[in-house]
Amino acid sequence: MCGIVGFCNYKDNYIMDEAKYRKHIELLKKMHLSISHRGDDQCGEYLNCNVGLGHTRLSIRDVKNGMQPMKETVNGKTCAIVYNGEIYNTKELRTELEKKGHIFETNCDTEVILKAYIEYGIDCINMLNGIFAFAVYDESQKRLVLVRDRVGVKPLFYTIKENELIFASEIKGLFSNPKVEAKINMDSFREIFGVGPARTPGNGVFCEINEMKPGHYAIFNQDGFKECKYWDIEAKEHTDSYEDTVYNVRFLLEDSINRQMISDVGVCTFLSGGIDSTIVTAIAAKNNVLNTFSFDFTGNDKYFVSNSFQPERDAEYVNYALKHIKTNHNYLFCDDKQLYESLFKSVEAKDLPGMADVDASLLYFCSQVRKENVVALTGECADEIFGGYPWFYREDLLKGEGFPWSKNTQTRELLLQKDFARELKLSEYAAYRYEESIKQVPVLYGENSEEKKRREIGYLNIRWFMQTLLDRMDRASMYNGLEARVPFADHRIIEYVYNVPWSMKRRNNVEKSLLRDAFKDVLPEKLLNRKKSPYPKTYSPFYEELLKKKILQILDDNNSPIHAFIDKRKLLEYIKEPTLYGKPWFGQLMAAPQLLAYLIQIDYWISIYKPTMI
């Protein structure tokens, strides 16, 4: 795992003279230094007439020899690469390339990607199984190629300023270039309040900041910039029996987990006691005694309140799993103060407001995991793929239009100044983004309305909700120099399970029954039958008091940015009686305290980035 940065301009010459060369080398250093938290083991720069590439490295494979940028010349064709990610079929690709005469000087996947590009051109990306964002400069064709993995596990942001393409793994890397300024407009606030903390695919919230969409690549040459799709989910008829479907799911996930165990440094897992993380841990621990980590909050043993979304705590199930799986387990706890302080760090990690304490707590936990391990396997993404969320099966959430995890924008609109809310038109914006996405859903001709609706929910979850969680996982882990891998997000699993009928995914009215049946010999019975429980959150009243105290401080400070759009009177009413504004407003975990935390994050975000309003 690493961080990449760079720039390209065909109407300039970066190495025209010594002074210009030094200037652009220093700029590359400044850019990759800004994201050095993603890995500070090594760093490097590559500069020629029209392109500059920078890299900061977290050493995981071939620690001694995998330095970047990496440059190769084969049969007169010269290419240079900077790359962030992991390729899980490196061994197979390397064997094929060796048969074609390629000689390798390292054991790292970076060299495999570079030689695959030299051999196959842009088509090489269809051969990659992994998580990746990379840039290849092809000197012979005088073009820069940017690529992002199919599902969007690894980030890649870019902008075009004065004929120059500028890119980076994180937005802060772009802002380290003096040509890129932090600017926002009303559409930025429509993203934040209308669909946030999710983001429209490709939208960087800041004006003129774009993110490469999952499954896309772009070519920048003297003719300009062109972004192309190379992968998407396809609708296909599912003809496998239930028994064969169970077998195929078992094979695909087990293969994904085993591939993702490849590392030259120690691998650990996150173990929550849910079926997803327990499956990952059980398979990963078959031939290894791993470090495992569970997360909880100080005081939850006293303050936890069972509810329909979170019926029980994880601790009992973690302990039960540990009776059946031999690991070196670590219980991690986050207290109120640590959680509160991490709210601000998580904005810095993401460059945007996020899922409030859901982001903040994961950031803190990752900082603790990193003290022991550099690579972690997680159970993230299973619910989006196998249909574990209530909006997949609850009639009240299935019916109607709009994103099922955020049915309306009413709660947020109620706290905004009337004129500001009127101009934003949040409901219309959210509806537009929803309709835009629905048009892209792959369906089969002749499918009944119920199955078509299931496909819509599944596609929206993969393209929106899952992307929000992947963004969260990447920034929280990489802010701490920790590589978090997601075996469930293997594109082969997504392609296959998307087309499995709902009757198989929820057999006998049991959530994720397909996944449970595929691993029933791996999961202890108590866990096999456990009802879904989401990522833990704090129930401490003292944490809420910290949030209220901060909001009141913000409201007392006339220089606080949120005064420009928040209705102070309504927000004070909300602080006194948050139940006035209803149920969770995003997903299952973001309710009243999280809305306060979200507003605190927005205020902090504007304070530190100081964007110009245009």
Side-chain angles (χ1 to χ4, degrees):
M1 281 306 157
C2 311
I4 64 174
V5 299
F7 41 74
C8 183
N9 191 338
Y10 298 102
K11 296 187 178 181
D12 197 359
N13 185 338
Y14 296 137
I15 57 174
M16 184 183 298
D17 52 47
E18 183 67 21
K20 204 162 188 182
Y21 172 82
R22 275 204 221 103
K23 173 188 173 184
H24 285 93
I25 285 290
E26 289 305 312
L27 179 54
L28 284 171
K29 289 180 179 179
K30 181 182 177 183
M31 289 177 69
H32 69 59
L33 182 62
S34 72
I35 58 170
S36 61
H37 50 265
R38 297 185 70 88
D40 60 0
D41 295 324
Q42 296 166 338
C43 60
E45 304 82 34
Y46 164 86
L47 189 67
N48 78 3
C49 297
N50 303 117
V51 69
L53 305 176
H55 187 263
T56 184
R57 185 185 183 207
L58 181 64
S59 301
I60 290 174
R61 293 169 73 174
D62 197 351
V63 173
K64 291 183 179 180
N65 302 311
M67 288 186 67
Q68 299 183 45
M70 187 176 287
K71 183 180 176 181
E72 291 275 358
T73 300
V74 178
N75 297 327
K77 183 175 183 177
T78 300
C79 295
I81 187 173
V82 283
Y83 152 66
N84 165 32
E86 295 292 338
I87 303 303
Y88 303 126
N89 62 336
T90 296
K91 185 177 179 180
E92 296 97 316
L93 289 173
R94 180 176 173 133
T95 300
E96 288 301 311
L97 289 165
E98 286 175 333
K99 288 178 181 177
K100 292 182 176 293
H102 290 274
I103 298 171
F104 288 83
E105 297 178 4
T106 75
N107 293 314
C108 67
D109 49 353
T110 309
E111 188 179 7
V112 171
I113 297 174
L114 185 54
K115 285 195 161 88
Y117 175 84
I118 290 171
E119 179 67 36
Y120 302 109
I122 197 66
D123 289 341
C124 74
I125 58 181
N126 296 305
M127 305 172 183
L128 305 179
N129 178 329
I131 54 179
F132 49 84
F134 62 84
V136 172
Y137 185 68
D138 186 332
E139 288 189 5
S140 60
Q141 297 196 48
K142 210 169 186 180
R143 70 179 188 179
L144 180 67
V145 179
L146 301 180
V147 182
R148 191 174 183 207
D149 65 65
R150 295 172 181 83
V151 185
V153 179
K154 293 290 103 187
L156 183 56
F157 294 89
Y158 69 91
T159 187
I160 299 175
K161 305 290 289 184
E162 303 170 13
N163 302 310
E164 186 169 57
L165 173 67
I166 305 167
F167 68 89
S169 293
E170 297 180 13
I171 294 172
K172 61 177 67 65
L174 299 179
F175 289 154
S176 297
N177 189 308
K179 288 186 179 179
V180 188
E181 299 175 20
K183 296 184 289 187
I184 56 175
N185 59 15
M186 293 303 284
D187 278 340
S188 304
F189 284 110
R190 290 182 181 106
E191 282 288 308
I192 289 168
F193 287 112
V195 297
R199 281 189 291 116
T200 300
N203 192 310
V205 180
F206 289 98
C207 298
E208 301 172 349
I209 302 297
N210 305 291
E211 185 173 23
M212 185 73 65
K213 294 177 183 176
H216 281 64
Y217 71 88
I219 293 175
F220 184 60
N221 57 24
Q222 294 179 65
D223 295 326
F225 179 89
K226 184 179 181 181
E227 186 172 339
C228 306
K229 182 193 294 184
Y230 71 88
W231 181 84
D232 201 354
I233 303 166
E234 295 180 15
K236 298 177 181 178
E237 186 177 359
H238 186 79
T239 57
D240 293 344
S241 67
Y242 185 72
E243 291 72 24
D244 287 344
T245 302
V246 167
Y247 173 85
N248 290 332
V249 167
R250 171 65 174 259
F251 171 80
L252 288 170
L253 183 53
E254 200 161 350
D255 184 64
S256 177
I257 294 167
N258 288 330
R259 285 179 181 275
Q260 296 191 31
M261 286 295 293
I262 297 171
S263 172
D264 291 338
V265 295
V267 178
C268 69
T269 69
F270 295 173
L271 178 62
S272 70
I275 66 170
D276 312 328
S277 66
T278 305
I279 289 170
V280 171
T281 300
I283 300 302
K286 273 187 176 180
N287 301 309
N288 309 271
V289 179
L290 306 171
N291 285 342
T292 52
F293 297 87
S294 59
F295 310 148
D296 205 348
F297 295 87
T298 304
N300 267 3
D301 55 338
K302 180 179 180 181
Y303 299 113
F304 176 80
V305 178
S306 178
N307 56 73
S308 59
F309 289 126
Q310 211 152 26
E312 53 207 346
R313 293 178 63 213
D314 288 339
E316 175 187 351
Y317 294 91
V318 169
N319 293 335
Y320 190 75
L322 292 172
K323 291 179 180 178
H324 296 266
I325 308 169
K326 185 180 180 181
T327 76
N328 296 319
H329 190 69
N330 302 265
Y331 297 91
L332 300 181
F333 294 89
C334 181
D335 65 30
D336 298 331
K337 185 172 181 287
Q338 290 161 338
L339 180 58
Y340 172 76
E341 291 174 350
S342 296
L343 280 174
F344 305 95
K345 291 179 183 178
S346 66
V347 174
E348 296 169 13
K350 198 171 185 178
D351 299 309
L352 293 166
M355 295 182 75
D357 49 50
V358 183
D359 278 11
S361 58
L362 184 62
L363 185 83
Y364 173 76
F365 289 131
C366 285
S367 73
Q368 302 306 297
V369 173
R370 181 60 176 84
K371 293 176 181 179
E372 301 294 332
N373 285 88
V374 182
V375 179
L377 267 60
T378 79
E380 200 78 87
C381 303
D383 289 312
E384 291 84 356
I385 296 165
F386 287 91
Y389 293 119
W391 46 77
F392 275 96
Y393 52 84
R394 268 179 42 184
E395 287 299 320
D396 59 322
L397 296 174
L398 269 173
K399 289 179 179 176
E401 305 298 312
F403 297 111
W405 51 83
S406 184
K407 273 294 188 181
N408 61 64
T409 58
Q410 183 182 19
T411 301
R412 284 168 272 189
E413 286 179 301
L414 284 169
L415 298 179
L416 299 176
Q417 293 175 15
K418 280 187 178 180
D419 290 345
F420 185 69
R422 193 177 296 118
E423 187 176 355
L424 284 181
K425 298 179 180 178
L426 295 183
S427 295
E428 290 90 334
Y429 185 77
Y432 167 73
R433 290 305 189 190
Y434 171 79
E435 291 297 335
E436 181 181 56
S437 298
I438 287 297
K439 290 175 183 176
Q440 300 170 24
V441 177
V443 296
L444 280 178
Y445 178 77
E447 273 186 321
N448 62 47
S449 58
E450 182 179 348
E451 204 61 33
K452 184 180 176 183
K453 185 67 176 179
R454 303 289 184 195
R455 282 195 188 274
E456 290 178 357
I457 296 293
Y459 190 83
L460 289 173
N461 270 267
I462 291 165
R463 285 305 189 203
W464 280 83
F465 200 77
M466 190 168 90
Q467 190 61 56
T468 305
L469 298 183
L470 288 173
D471 283 353
R472 162 182 170 255
M473 183 63 74
D474 176 83
R475 302 317 183 279
S477 59
M478 294 306 294
Y479 187 77
N480 295 289
L482 174 71
E483 175 179 308
R485 298 178 179 176
V486 278
F488 280 99
D490 186 305
H491 71 278
R492 300 170 302 164
I493 297 172
I494 293 171
E495 289 172 346
Y496 185 76
V497 178
Y498 178 75
N499 289 295
V500 172
W502 181 246
S503 58
M504 290 187 180
K505 292 177 186 173
R506 190 178 167 85
R507 208 177 194 202
N508 299 322
N509 211 33
V510 175
E511 63 192 18
K512 295 196 293 191
S513 58
L514 174 59
L515 183 60
R516 295 174 196 265
D517 285 347
F519 289 89
K520 62 184 177 183
D521 62 322
V522 170
L523 291 167
E525 187 174 353
K526 189 172 183 177
L527 294 180
L528 183 66
N529 299 316
R530 186 187 180 188
K531 182 177 172 57
K532 173 183 166 49
S533 190
Y535 178 83
K537 71 173 187 176
T538 183
Y539 288 82
S540 169
F542 302 108
Y543 172 66
E544 273 194 68
E545 289 306 312
L546 287 173
L547 296 179
K548 290 176 182 178
K549 181 180 178 181
K550 179 60 178 177
I551 280 287
L552 291 173
Q553 287 175 354
I554 289 171
L555 292 179
D556 284 342
D557 182 357
N558 291 329
N559 294 317
S560 294
I562 68 168
H563 283 288
F565 47 83
I566 286 293
D567 186 312
K568 183 176 179 178
R569 180 184 60 80
K570 289 181 179 177
L571 183 51
L572 288 170
E573 288 178 359
Y574 179 75
I575 292 170
K576 291 178 183 176
E577 190 49 67
T579 55
L580 289 171
Y581 296 96
K583 299 176 181 178
W585 54 275
F586 186 87
Q588 304 165 85
L589 300 178
M590 299 189 71
Q594 289 70 40
L595 183 51
L596 291 180
Y598 192 53
L599 294 176
I600 290 169
Q601 285 194 320
I602 293 170
D603 184 79
Y604 182 67
W605 173 64
I606 298 174
S607 297
I608 62 171
Y609 286 89
K610 296 180 170 53
T612 303
M613 183 71 183
I614 61 173

